[in-house]
Amino acid sequence: MQEWLTEHLTKLNLVDEMNYDTGFTRLSYSEEEKQAHETFRHIALSLGLEVHQDEAGNQWATWKVDDKVPTVAVGSHVDTVRSGGGYDGVAGVLAGLASIKLLKDRDFIPSKNITVICFASEESARFGVSTIGSKALTGLLEDNLAEVKDSDGVSVREALESYGLTWENLPNAELRADELESFLELHIEQGTQIEDHGADIGVVRGVACPIRLQVTFSGMANHTGTTPMDKRSDAFVASAPLIPFVEEEAKKMNEDAPLPLVATVSTVQLSPNVMNVIPGEVTLGIDIRSVEDELKIELAKRIKSFCEEIERERSVTVTIKTLVDNDSVFLDPNIQETLANVAKQLDYKPLAMDSGAGHDVMNMATRWPSGLIFIPCQEGISHHPKEYASIEDLEKGTRMIAEYLRIETGDEHENNNWRNRTA
Amino acid sequence: MQEWLTEHLTKLNLVDEMNYDTGFTRLSYSEEEKQAHETFRHIALSLGLEVHQDEAGNQWATWKVDDKVPTVAVGSHVDTVRSGGGYDGVAGVLAGLASIKLLKDRDFIPSKNITVICFASEESARFGVSTIGSKALTGLLEDNLAEVKDSDGVSVREALESYGLTWENLPNAELRADELESFLELHIEQGTQIEDHGADIGVVRGVACPIRLQVTFSGMANHTGTTPMDKRSDAFVASAPLIPFVEEEAKKMNEDAPLPLVATVSTVQLSPNVMNVIPGEVTLGIDIRSVEDELKIELAKRIKSFCEEIERERSVTVTIKTLVDNDSVFLDPNIQETLANVAKQLDYKPLAMDSGAGHDVMNMATRWPSGLIFIPCQEGISHHPKEYASIEDLEKGTRMIAEYLRIETGDEHENNNWRNRTA
């Protein structure tokens, strides 16, 4: 199994050997994403699966029983950020395929269809829009998506057409609720909670979706050399206290809160941002996340009050725009229970945890009972060439999925047979 | 005189009527700057002056006596920032030409050559490099100038060649010290000191040249959603206290200092500056100015200490790079005295003051005795479409230059004759 994982990890990353220096760049709907999808199809065919691509570019590799039985899905994505790692997304696709191989090697006979989905365009690195493939499946695509452009001015519509898809057919990718029974994703943790708790596997309860605020401070631009210190309305100076405030307030709230909250001032635009002009306008972007939506709302309120204070004390105006306010997504309790039991059965220590990052599963969970498995990644480093997950952990993830699929798709007789054989 | 000024103010701005909404854009070595230089030549020719363009694109309009007598120069520039005003630069060129007209109308006969210089490329808006024309005259051009590029990737060398100049000939624009006797610039104040003191005209003593620092804070970029608050090394949070520190410290130093000091955190670059990543690196640009160089050096020291404190207290590294450290330029005391006397004689209240902004005169002063006259501009607004100076103040400036030129270039006999006539 480890040999197979090692070989196909490099294949899905389109290389002969993993690299941890320059990383991998397979942006949304790029030629590189397409090549990785093509590799996925080849591997799936070699495993005897039926493959097809849907109208959003998602690849489906199906172990088909017949059209009358339900379909259980697993999967993730193979696109990356710029100079990203070789595990974010790939780990889930690889473990999904490997679990099929494991079941087939054991002569398992499923009583339901099993499908591995390789989602298109999960990362927001190219267009600022994430999880396009799984949004298409669940009818969650943004209204203005066609015209959203990358930094070269190429729109999503144009990128999709270059990819060989037809923009007008995109809505046809949406599936009815009865077309799948459930969905399970495996992903690298992109944090260190599993390691910190001495666990092997994370079983995710909820995905923390963000509140994102855009806070604009308007002062008065003027010449840095000719404007005396007591005649200024410097928007950057006025905005500065908000930057540590967000960090400090989030830390304070974590002292009493039942669930963690994270908050970051992660972007800034300064106008005009030239050496000889006092900043006239500053826009800060704030990302607030918690599975506990009330905590996000409370921090957003405190930020608003703090900005009103700044407005009273300094000669600036402050406007706050809510860019995103998505309720957190809770995953299926039955699947969590199954996964925890599977882990124990395999002698892996599971950790019930939340996901601070978004994944395709958060869209899938709006339509189907869904689950998310995390495997550890070294030092929590992700979206970086040094991103790394061990083959041992990839194998544990694979065995988790295989056992889960066996339970979900086997009939009693088969289950018992196999359990006896593997015991 | 006011009619002539009004008419030629619009001409030099290449319009039929001044506009205060969209402003003017005549970037360095652009087609628009060229057109304004062409207009300058036409006006100069209509005043009976000899015109020529030098190797840097500076235009010279000369009231020539002969080659044996010294040449007294006045002038400024006609290029602008993006969406700038119609007075920054133009005011000095216009008043220079108008003063010639005034002297000619009065049948003044100069005993020295008088030349009006329309400098090329004063503003740094296009290339980030200022006063290229006057630097060329005084041998102060930056070594790497050829390769400096604008935001479209056009280098100074390419822009200069498109302008019709020859890059290799640029050094030939430099003048020997004996080729001019003195230089006087008139410029809008870009501040409100003249108004605040109830004066009519500013007579500038020194030009405050900046110390510019680039301070980089390096922390650790990581996912905003998956990195707990107590495991972060957020470079933006670490850098934030420096922003108000610079303002507060400059204010404190002004309480005891003999001369004003101004300091501004005017630029920021955040990396990666995307919503879902904790800022891993922040670079702040700081502009410090005072005619008193010791004050600039002292503030730069305090900034360094403060950054060392941040480095000790937080898990970031801080590096400070000095981008610019130019000594302030002091203007010629004799010219200042002459200008103050001229003002009193014309019944204008002069204000001895310093310039917080750089001008062509700061380069000219390194080679020739030089002076700088400020006229008021409304509310100190500059580099903005709303920039405005009244025709009355432009006329005062013109009369200041004319009287100064009469004193500097007239022989005793002429002087006395005219003084009697105008008394």
Side-chain angles (χ1 to χ4, degrees), chain A residues 124 189-192 196 212-213 220 222-232 234 236-237 240-241 243-244 246-247 250-251 254 261-270 273-279 284-287 289 314 323 355-358 379-383, chain B residues 124 189-192 196 212-213 220 222-232 234 236-237 240-241 243-244 246-247 250-251 254 261-270 273-279 284-287 289 314 323 355-358 379-383:
Chain A
S124 62
E189 182 195 347
Q190 304 177 289
T192 60
D196 294 348
R212 286 180 174 167
L213 305 177
M220 179 68 184
N222 223 324
H223 198 293
T224 57
T226 60
T227 315
M229 297 311 295
D230 56 356
K231 292 207 163 186
R232 295 175 169 222
D234 184 323
F236 202 22
V237 173
I243 304 162
V246 170
E247 180 174 285
K251 280 183 176 172
N254 277 326
L261 167 81
V262 288
T264 316
V265 180
S266 45
T267 68
V268 63
Q269 269 80 41
L270 214 64
N273 207 27
V274 296
M275 264 291 190
N276 63 349
V277 182
I278 298 165
L284 301 176
I286 306 176
D287 182 275
R289 304 197 197 201
R314 300 194 67 105
L323 297 180
S355 172
E379 293 175 44
I381 295 167
S382 182
H383 284 192
Chain B
S124 62
E189 181 195 345
Q190 304 176 289
T192 60
D196 293 349
R212 285 180 174 167
L213 305 177
M220 179 69 184
N222 222 325
H223 198 294
T224 56
T226 60
T227 315
M229 296 311 296
D230 57 356
K231 291 208 163 184
R232 294 176 169 220
D234 184 325
F236 202 22
V237 173
I243 304 162
V246 170
E247 180 175 285
K251 280 182 175 172
N254 277 326
L261 166 82
V262 288
T264 316
V265 180
S266 44
T267 68
V268 63
Q269 269 81 42
L270 214 65
N273 206 28
V274 295
M275 263 291 190
N276 63 349
V277 183
I278 297 166
L284 301 176
I286 305 177
D287 182 275
R289 305 197 194 199
R314 301 193 67 106
L323 297 181
S355 173
E379 292 175 43
I381 296 167
S382 182
H383 284 193

Side-chain angles (χ1 to χ4, degrees), chain B residues 115-127:
Chain B
T115 193
V116 183
I117 312 173
C118 180
F119 291 105
S121 193
E122 194 269 349
E123 298 287 357
S124 62
R126 180 171 180 189
F127 293 109

Side-chain angles (χ1 to χ4, degrees), chain B residues 275-334:
Chain B
M275 263 291 190
N276 63 349
V277 183
I278 297 166
E281 195 172 281
V282 178
T283 299
L284 301 176
I286 305 177
D287 182 275
I288 307 171
R289 305 197 194 199
S290 176
V291 171
E292 184 59 76
D293 290 326
E294 284 307 316
L295 292 176
K296 297 173 354 192
I297 293 164
E298 170 61 22
L299 181 55
K301 262 190 211 156
R302 294 191 191 182
I303 288 170
K304 187 159 175 274
S305 302
F306 190 71
C307 288
E308 285 165 356
E309 217 174 286
I310 290 176
E311 214 173 15
R312 277 194 302 274
E313 286 174 11
R314 301 193 67 106
S315 55
V316 293
T317 57
V318 188
T319 54
I320 303 182
K321 201 171 144 187
T322 302
L323 297 181
V324 172
D325 184 358
N326 291 335
D327 288 348
S328 295
V329 171
F330 290 90
L331 300 177
D332 185 69
N334 294 328

Side-chain angles (χ1 to χ4, degrees), chain A residues 167-181:
Chain A
W167 177 258
E168 284 69 23
N169 295 345
L170 184 57
N172 301 340
E174 187 174 348
L175 296 186
R176 295 186 314 274
D178 63 2
E179 292 183 84
L180 292 180
E181 186 178 79

Side-chain angles (χ1 to χ4, degrees), chain B residues 391-410:
Chain B
I391 289 295
E392 290 73 20
D393 286 328
L394 284 166
E395 185 181 357
K396 285 180 190 169
T398 300
R399 293 190 185 279
M400 286 284 299
I401 299 174
E403 183 60 15
Y404 160 85
L405 287 175
R406 198 189 55 77
I407 293 167
E408 293 290 323
T409 70

